[in-house]
Amino acid sequence: MNTGSWLPVTWLYVPGDRPERFGKAVASGADVVIIDLEDAVAPVRKDEARANAAAYLRARREEGSGAVQVHVRVNDLAGPRGLGDLAAVGDLADAVRLPKVESAEVLDAVTGAPAYALLESAAGIVAARDIAAHPRVAGVALGEQDLAAELSITDESAMNHLRLQVVLAAAAAGLPPVPMSVYPNVKDEAGLLASCRAGRTLGLFGRTAIHPRQIPVIRQAFRPTEEETARAAEIVEAAEQAERSGTGAVALPDGRFVDAPIVTRARRTMALAHRLTAPPDRPQPASDV
């Protein structure tokens, strides 16, 4: 698993046919903004949405404003529209998100920005390991609503089984942790919080949002608890003491020993707790295009 010191926690979708919202999304506090050219855009407005995204990204690059990553979800690469989207924005976006990926072979056509593969079907889940291992893939995520509809899943435990398969595929390929799929009820903040906490226990990390009001709830859910932070601090202190004394083993006050991966995780926990306790950075919105 990629264990870099900074990983996105919140990913906010914004419809590609609403360019007046692009700058506001960037200023929302989300770690990543995803301009959506696919599901959020009616077929008759898809050309307009593509042009909006390309114009905004081009202006953003010229202005040199890049504090928040901006990704673009293109249309399905199985059709000509998806390939056209990729040609228009692939060299401008910080990353592209590819819907309905069902095989590693479709990724051979991807050039330009790093690619995130969305697994939204039974075929995509079956091929998850090959897709995650493709050299063009920077991360994978689930499209749970389409997947649940295809498989007629109504039990959360069955969905957890599929989530774990993707978590395992990403980790085996050395990719970042898998973010959770969107929570569709923007008014149900208690449900969102509980869902995020349940996903966290499965190894999922962070979540895509469809409204800015979901961002602080997601941050709260993935912020380490006081107990977890205290435990991490104890481990880090023991590791630093072992380094100062020149001993190889790291022993905790209660007599338990921990190894290097546990120390690395503890340091990551402390950094995440610090980052998510402070309010998110809110860059000034760029000029709407």
Side-chain angles (χ1 to χ4, degrees):
M1 178 185 294
N2 183 319
T3 57
S5 58
W6 189 90
L7 291 169
V9 177
T10 52
W11 316 62
L12 178 64
Y13 276 109
V14 59
D17 59 348
R18 299 299 300 272
E20 73 279 4
R21 295 184 180 179
F22 294 173
K24 295 174 183 177
V26 168
S28 68
D31 295 321
V32 178
V33 168
I34 306 168
I35 299 176
D36 191 9
L37 306 184
E38 195 213 11
D39 285 347
V41 180
V44 296
R45 302 193 69 175
K46 286 187 179 287
D47 288 342
E48 175 188 346
R50 178 196 291 169
N52 291 340
Y56 177 79
L57 292 168
R58 195 174 295 111
R60 186 171 180 266
R61 175 173 292 184
E62 290 172 358
E63 293 169 2
S65 55
V68 174
Q69 291 187 28
V70 178
H71 297 187
V72 178
R73 179 165 73 171
V74 301
N75 286 279
D76 190 350
L77 294 187
R81 182 168 293 281
L83 294 173
D85 291 342
L86 201 60
V89 304
D91 291 327
L92 298 172
D94 292 312
V96 291
R97 300 177 73 81
L98 312 176
K100 302 175 177 61
V101 177
E102 296 188 334
S103 71
E105 287 73 24
V106 72
L107 299 164
D108 293 338
V110 179
T111 59
Y116 286 76
L118 305 182
L119 310 180
E120 306 179 78
S121 66
I125 297 298
V126 170
R129 293 195 181 191
D130 289 339
I131 292 168
H134 193 282
R136 293 298 307 165
V137 171
V140 294
L142 277 162
E144 294 190 2
Q145 294 187 66
D146 287 356
L147 184 59
E150 178 184 347
L151 300 178
S152 300
I153 289 176
T154 58
D155 189 326
E156 192 72 10
S157 63
M159 187 59 73
N160 283 345
H161 173 69
L162 301 176
R163 291 166 180 152
L164 283 169
Q165 289 189 56
V166 179
V167 167
L168 182 61
L175 297 178
V178 179
M180 298 183 71
S181 185
V182 298
Y183 190 82
N185 188 342
V186 298
K187 295 184 178 180
D188 183 13
E189 295 184 1
L192 171 60
L193 182 64
S195 175
C196 288
R197 285 176 171 166
R200 186 180 170 207
T201 68
L202 299 174
L204 297 163
F205 182 81
R207 189 162 203 160
T208 50
I210 54 176
H211 193 282
R213 69 185 295 173
Q214 294 180 315
I215 291 172
V217 181
I218 295 170
R219 286 171 59 89
Q220 178 186 350
F222 286 95
R223 183 172 64 235
T225 65
E226 291 184 5
E227 181 180 355
E228 289 169 336
T229 305
R231 176 69 171 171
E234 181 181 56
I235 292 171
V236 171
E237 172 59 29
E240 291 175 350
Q241 184 174 342
E243 290 174 2
R244 289 193 296 267
S245 63
T247 59
V250 178
L252 300 180
D254 61 9
R256 283 178 292 175
F257 285 81
V258 295
D259 55 13
I262 302 299
V263 175
T264 299
R265 180 178 178 182
R267 289 195 168 104
R268 195 163 63 242
T269 295
M270 292 182 65
L272 184 63
H274 176 74
R275 172 183 158 203
L276 295 183
T277 297
D281 293 332
R282 296 179 183 271
Q284 292 299 312
S287 301
D288 290 323
V289 178

